[in-house]
């Protein structure tokens, strides 16, 4: 695959839905050539066609971020990379530590942490060579405070947070910014449904009575704003929650 070289290129992982898809749309509207990656090829190809039809620039590349060989091959196929938005991730289950499934914990760690590591390592040489690169890590408020039933996801998002913090220290003096965006309660079409293994009724209860949870567009706008700051401005950490949420466990519900 050959990407457009005339404009800056942004890679967005997990771009088949939710925050990833919304971020791809907004970065494309901001003037980036956006490379959409996700496992669901049909979804990202449709989104690339939508973005192109809107007069912007996008290409799609099916990718599992936990497959290091595939990630390396993808990175080698790019002509350039100025920005990577590490959005691929997700949560599975709400079991307590005493009964949590180690397979769920492993899957969450592989996707949220190792996937981010794979993509960042593979693209970092190109991002650095751009002379003005940006690495974005979509973590979560779960990475900053724990809650009952969330230990596996909290542990994974803590891993993503620490990856971003450490990378920022290690790249000091290089022309690369490292930005962490930590959303709180975001209502998307798939996050809670995936967490509850397709139980849409249980997923709906997460947002029940919350008048205005964050939307994918809200978070995408935050990501795009941070990425498009002047080169010398680094948004180290931006926590974004709906007004109705004061912490991971304190929500105002109008029931």
């Amino acid at each position: 695959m050959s990407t457009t070289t005339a404009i800056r290129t942004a890679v967005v992982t997990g771009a088949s839905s939710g925050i990833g898809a919304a971020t791809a749309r907004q970065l494309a509207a901001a003037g980036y050539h956006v490379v959409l990656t996700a496992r669901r090829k049909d979804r990202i190809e449709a989104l690339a066609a939508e973005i192109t039809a809107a007069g912007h620039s996008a290409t799609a590349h099916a990718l599992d971020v936990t497959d290091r060989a595939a990630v390396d091959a993808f990175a080698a196929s790019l002509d350039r990379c100025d920005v990577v938005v590490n959005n691929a991730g997700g949560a599975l289950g709400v079991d307590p530590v005493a009964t949590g499934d180690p397979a769920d914990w492993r899957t969450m760690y592989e996707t949220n942490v190792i996937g981010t590591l794979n993509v960042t390592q593979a693209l970092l040489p190109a991002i650095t060579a751009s002379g003005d690169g940006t690495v974005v890590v979509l973590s979560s408020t779960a990475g900053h405070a724990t809650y009952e039933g969330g230990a596996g996801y909290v542990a994974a998002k803590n891993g993503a947070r620490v990856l971003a913090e450490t990378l920022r220290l290690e790249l000091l003096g290089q022309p690369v910014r490292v930005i962490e965006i930590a959303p709180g309660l975001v209502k998307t079409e798939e996050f809670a449904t995936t967490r509850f293994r397709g139980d849409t009724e249980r997923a709906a209860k997460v947002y029940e009575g919350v008048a205005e949870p964050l939307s994918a567009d809200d978070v995408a706008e935050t990501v795009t704003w941070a990425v498009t700051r002047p080169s010398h401005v680094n948004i180290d950490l931006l926590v974004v929650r709906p007004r109705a949420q004061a912490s991971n466990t304190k929500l105002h519900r109008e029931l």
Side-chain angles (χ1 to χ4, degrees), residues 8-25:
R8 288 166 61 78
T9 295
V11 172
V12 181
T13 69
S16 59
S17 67
I19 292 170
T23 299
R25 289 187 183 97

Side-chain angles (χ1 to χ4, degrees), residues 156-242:
K157 285 305 188 184
N158 263 280
R161 173 181 63 82
V162 169
L163 186 158
E165 288 185 352
T166 308
L167 183 63
R168 190 180 303 116
L169 294 173
E170 293 170 348
L171 292 180
L172 183 64
Q174 297 297 313
V176 181
R177 301 179 300 177
V178 180
I179 296 170
E180 179 191 353
I181 307 293
L185 185 70
V186 185
K187 186 175 183 180
T188 63
E189 63 268 31
E190 293 186 329
F191 179 84
T193 302
T194 299
R195 185 169 206 169
F196 294 116
R197 306 179 201 283
D199 188 337
T200 54
E201 184 176 346
R202 193 176 181 191
K205 289 187 179 298
V206 172
Y207 312 102
E208 190 174 48
V210 180
E212 291 182 288
L214 295 177
S215 68
D217 283 333
D218 291 329
V219 180
E221 185 175 353
T222 301
V223 173
T224 302
W225 175 83
V227 168
T228 55
R229 293 311 84 206
S231 300
H232 71 287
V233 177
N234 194 96
I235 308 301
D236 284 18
L237 167 65
L238 199 159
V239 176
V240 52
R241 291 188 173 105

Side-chain angles (χ1 to χ4, degrees), residues 54-68:
H56 307 308
S57 180
T59 52
H61 189 109
L63 184 68
D64 178 349
V65 297
T66 67
D67 182 341
R68 183 54 187 259

Side-chain angles (χ1 to χ4, degrees), residues 3 10 29 38 48 63 108-109 121 128 133 153 169 187 205 221:
T3 63
L63 184 68
M108 287 186 281
Y109 190 84
Q121 284 184 336
T128 305
Y153 182 58
L169 294 173
K187 186 175 183 180
K205 289 187 179 298
E221 185 175 353

